[in-house]
Amino acid sequence: MIDTRNSLAWRRFRRNRAACLGLVVMVGLLLMSALAFPFSSRWSNVQDLQGAVRAAPTLRVVTPYDAYERALPDSLLGAGMHRVAGLAGYDDLGRSLLFRLCLGWLVSLGVGLGAAVMAVVIGVSWGATAAMAGGRVDAAMMRIVDILYGLPYVLFVILLKVVLEPPLRTVLHGQGHLANVIIVFVAIGAVSWLTMARVIRGQVLSLRSRPFVEAAYASGVGRMRVMWRHLLPNLVGPIAVYATLVIPQAILQESFLSFLGIGVVPPTPSLGLLATDGVQAVNSFVGFWWLIAFPCGILVLTLLALNFIGDGLRDALDPRTDAVAIF
Amino acid sequence: MIRTIVRRLLVGFATLFCVYAFTFLMVIVIPGNPFASADRNMPPEVVRALEARYDMDDNGAYFVQFLAGATHLDFGPSFQYKDWTCSQIIAQSLPVSLTLGLLAMLIAVLVGVPVGVYSAVWRDGWFDLSALGFVLIGISLPTFVTGTMLLTVFAVHLKTVPIGGWGTVMHLPLPALALSLPFMAYIARLTRVGMLDALGSDFVRTAVAKGLPKRVVIFKHVFKVAFLPVLSYLGPAAAQAMTGSFVVEKVFSVPGIGQHFVDSALNLDRGLIMSTVLVYAAIVIVFNIAVDTLYSFVDPRIQGSAR
């Protein structure tokens, strides 16, 4: 069999044990939370103030099915889900931590993915435009990136939130939670495209003078077409690598913002919010280890898996990169 | 050397001006102002008078006036803290954050570099693997979690340090340690990679071949090369540690400048937003210049910019 570039890359990726483990962990978590989604989206906010407030993890059924039932028609899967509701314990309001974790993981991943898409779109178009234009335009555009690097990102995330919130709320009228999550990832994405822009500019600059690009120009292909058909396919590697590395950063930033009270707004759960809740529970009373151990455990697991996948992709797709791989 | 520094300082001032203009633009497009809040219900004349007092009625004049004040570090009044000027607020909170950040960077380097060297020399040994575990935790656990854990163990249970606040020496170690963890982890890893790279190069083989003791090779030859990437990381990292510590400052109730980054933006406190951004940008620029200068001392082949 002849090795195409992609199968070679896949083989290199598979050889990286940490990256494969990361992939398995991410797929496992995704399957779990996707399976639970029909239930966690409705049950994550069902409170049981009678028996379940800060109840420890248990296999026992704590909250009667009636409390949940009104939300969803009876089904076998539903009954099974109800039985495992107490597996990760309950929070301050007697809500099942398992359901909140399942939904919160999806929310955090959504924020990460959204921010990564934002970073890719802005970063690639910015970097590629600068490199293709060259000269003064290039210098000016990269100068802007330098300046934005020197700005405190939190402040800009908050300012962006303040600016974007009113228009987005009117567009997504009635879906406040969705609007709020979108604002969070747009704000994070809008500040995390800088590294992407630099990397892409460097790549385009080095590709621009390659013979195949000159051949394309010489045979009368236009600039935009060269960009789309000849340069962009060669940029897929670095784009994939840096997009994967933006996701864990964005998830971590979301948790900081949520800790400061300016991220995802409760009762929508996110890993950051759940960790913050856990931290506060540990602060006030000693014990309730599950409230901090599970959210932080999932958070660490997710971030590590994504970082490993990103590094594996970098080794597989972009072996000549000048960025330092630290793992 | 001096000419390079002067040139970079001039570029730095130009950058600062661009930062100022950009922030100004952001600030004036934000809808609303702190006086127009619904719960206060002030008559329009009063709002107008207040806006005039804080120069909110004429953006052009404000732009020039703020800039003129900023040249001699006078950033005007703050909306939020009526009795304070922005300069007073910064003068009070910046030294706190600088102390904390400097201490954190010191811890990060003093622990991170030896850990990196050791794990590179005994690669894949037990020390290397446990260091990797520590690094992974340090990079992916948010500082508000590690900070709270430190607080619970050392302040609540062992009662060795006060729970929070600022003022005595005993207030320093916990927040500095919490702040240093992510940097420490990254520096350890950076050092390890640099060491491994250098250990595999020809000049090391030559040094070993001519019979130099291992210790001399590692510290005189390998370490010198391996430290360079760490040095260029230190500039932005130090600036970040000194000003971006809002989470740690909140966990340990440290009265640093970090809170003002968050609060000023939330309160739309125009003067304070711009002055904190300017201070932050200035620190970032100064640290980058300082590190690049150091860099050319360590490695004389590099002239001027390290990038």
Side-chain angles (χ1 to χ4, degrees):
Chain A
M1 207 181 101
I2 300 162
D3 276 328
T4 61
R5 238 178 80 174
N6 284 342
S7 74
L8 253 177
W10 172 237
R11 194 177 296 170
R12 261 194 302 242
F13 185 83
R14 251 187 344 198
R15 243 197 330 243
N16 189 332
R17 228 183 302 160
C20 286
L21 197 68
L23 198 61
V24 169
V25 166
M26 284 309 283
V27 170
L29 285 173
L30 186 66
L31 275 180
M32 210 175 81
S33 45
L35 191 73
F37 181 71
F39 308 97
S40 64
S41 60
R42 295 188 172 105
W43 291 354
S44 69
N45 209 25
V46 173
Q47 306 175 0
D48 175 11
L49 293 170
Q50 255 101 51
V53 174
R54 290 189 172 144
T58 172
L59 276 168
R60 209 160 43 82
V61 171
V62 177
T63 311
Y65 197 43
D66 299 344
Y68 293 133
E69 201 185 16
R70 62 180 167 73
L72 207 78
D74 197 22
S75 73
L76 200 63
L77 191 58
M81 280 289 166
H82 170 243
R83 285 205 64 81
V84 298
L87 217 56
Y90 291 84
D91 72 357
D92 300 22
L93 296 171
R95 297 175 292 194
S96 157
L97 189 58
L98 186 68
F99 292 149
R100 291 185 68 70
L101 278 174
C102 286
L103 189 62
W105 187 81
L106 279 181
V107 170
S108 282
L109 190 71
V111 168
L113 284 176
V117 170
M118 286 276 303
V120 167
V121 171
I122 305 178
V124 171
S125 28
W126 193 273
T129 310
M132 293 297 277
R136 281 220 185 123
V137 180
D138 180 26
M141 286 178 87
M142 287 340 268
R143 197 78 217 138
I144 291 175
V145 170
D146 286 345
I147 289 167
L148 290 178
Y149 255 117
L151 293 174
Y153 88 89
V154 192
L155 211 145
F156 278 86
V157 169
I158 299 170
L159 289 184
L160 278 169
K161 274 192 69 168
V162 175
V163 175
L164 294 174
E165 204 141 10
L168 237 153
R169 283 216 183 278
T170 46
V171 172
L172 288 165
H173 189 66
Q175 292 190 296
H177 298 310
L178 189 63
N180 158 46
V181 171
I182 291 178
I183 291 164
V184 171
F185 78 66
V186 167
I188 295 176
V191 295
S192 37
W193 56 271
L194 301 172
T195 310
M196 181 74 90
R198 274 192 179 167
V199 171
I200 294 300
R201 172 178 171 269
Q203 293 280 332
V204 173
L205 276 184
S206 77
L207 285 173
R208 211 173 55 160
S209 52
R210 293 277 199 82
F212 73 94
V213 177
E214 278 173 15
Y217 276 130
S219 51
V221 181
R223 237 187 208 195
M224 283 311 280
R225 204 173 147 76
V226 167
M227 185 64 223
W228 278 104
R229 292 298 301 272
H230 299 272
L231 293 184
L232 209 59
N234 284 296
L235 294 175
V236 168
I239 291 174
V241 171
Y242 281 91
T244 333
L245 293 175
V246 167
I247 301 173
Q249 277 167 25
I251 292 178
L252 204 57
Q253 281 177 5
E254 179 275 322
S255 79
F256 286 138
L257 292 179
S258 293
F259 173 73
L260 294 172
I262 47 185
V264 174
V265 177
T268 311
S270 75
L271 289 182
L273 271 179
L274 292 172
T276 305
D277 282 355
V279 158
Q280 268 149 15
V282 169
N283 245 351
S284 45
F285 302 91
V286 181
F288 312 121
W289 55 269
W290 58 94
L291 286 178
I292 189 153
F294 288 125
C296 292
I298 299 281
L299 185 64
V300 169
L301 209 60
T302 310
L303 294 183
L304 289 186
L306 286 168
N307 275 319
F308 283 149
I309 293 173
D311 281 339
L313 278 179
R314 172 159 48 202
D315 291 345
L317 294 172
D318 193 20
R320 295 162 287 98
T321 180
D322 47 346
V324 189
I326 61 161
F327 292 116
Chain B
M1 175 62 79
I2 289 169
R3 263 180 66 191
T4 322
I5 296 176
V6 168
R7 208 195 63 224
R8 298 227 23 201
L9 275 176
L10 287 178
V11 175
F13 277 116
T15 313
L16 266 186
F17 178 76
C18 295
V19 166
Y20 170 63
F22 185 81
T23 318
F24 188 83
L25 215 64
M26 289 277 300
V27 168
I28 58 173
V29 295
I30 289 176
N33 69 53
F35 311 121
S37 57
D39 53 315
R40 262 197 250 168
N41 226 347
M42 282 185 286
E45 305 86 63
V46 176
V47 172
R48 259 200 301 281
L50 272 172
E51 287 184 353
R53 193 188 147 199
Y54 289 102
D55 305 304
M56 291 195 68
D57 44 359
D58 186 354
N59 284 327
Y62 186 64
F63 185 86
V64 177
Q65 203 180 324
F66 190 93
L67 197 61
T71 50
H72 51 269
L73 298 180
D74 173 15
F75 298 115
S78 154
F79 291 152
Q80 184 64 24
Y81 308 96
K82 292 275 152 49
D83 301 334
W84 297 78
T85 65
C86 296
S87 312
Q88 283 171 324
I89 294 174
I90 289 173
Q92 210 169 50
S93 57
L94 187 64
V96 174
S97 289
L98 286 183
T99 316
L100 192 58
L102 206 62
L103 201 62
M105 280 325 280
L106 212 64
I107 298 174
V109 172
L110 287 183
V111 178
V113 171
V115 166
V117 171
Y118 207 84
S119 38
V121 174
W122 277 273
R123 184 185 188 175
D124 295 331
W126 66 268
F127 183 86
D128 189 20
L129 286 181
S130 36
L132 175 66
F134 160 78
V135 163
L136 295 179
I137 299 284
I139 283 180
S140 52
L141 212 54
T143 39
F144 62 87
V145 176
T146 45
T148 311
M149 283 173 174
L150 286 173
L151 210 54
T152 320
V153 173
F154 290 100
V156 180
H157 286 281
L158 300 177
K159 295 191 170 56
T160 43
V161 288
I163 285 181
W166 193 255
T168 67
V169 182
M170 288 313 280
H171 284 118
L172 283 170
L174 278 197
L177 188 61
L179 184 58
S180 73
L181 279 178
F183 298 108
M184 191 193 290
Y186 199 80
I187 287 174
R189 221 54 201 166
L190 219 51
T191 312
R192 181 182 179 272
V193 171
M195 288 290 289
L196 286 180
D197 263 3
L199 277 172
S201 57
D202 291 340
F203 68 89
V204 173
R205 205 173 328 133
T206 314
V208 175
K210 74 178 185 185
L212 276 184
K214 198 177 179 188
R215 191 156 34 89
V216 177
V217 176
I218 286 170
F219 287 104
K220 279 196 80 172
H221 297 253
V222 181
F223 182 70
K224 251 182 168 174
V225 182
F227 193 63
L228 289 179
V230 178
L231 195 57
S232 55
Y233 168 70
L234 279 185
Q240 212 185 329
M242 284 179 195
T243 47
S245 54
F246 35 88
V247 171
V248 171
E249 283 174 11
K250 191 166 176 191
V251 171
F252 293 93
S253 354
V254 173
I257 199 171
Q259 54 178 328
H260 297 306
F261 281 107
V262 179
D263 292 346
S264 67
L266 285 177
N267 298 327
L268 301 177
D269 193 340
R270 207 158 79 158
L272 200 53
I273 290 178
M274 290 198 293
S275 39
T276 45
V277 169
L278 278 179
V279 167
Y280 179 89
I283 290 177
V284 171
I285 291 169
V286 166
F287 270 84
N288 278 333
I289 296 176
V291 162
D292 286 350
T293 312
L294 261 182
Y295 210 100
S296 57
F297 268 118
V298 177
D299 188 351
R301 285 169 303 174
I302 297 159
Q303 289 288 312
S305 167
R307 253 164 290 156

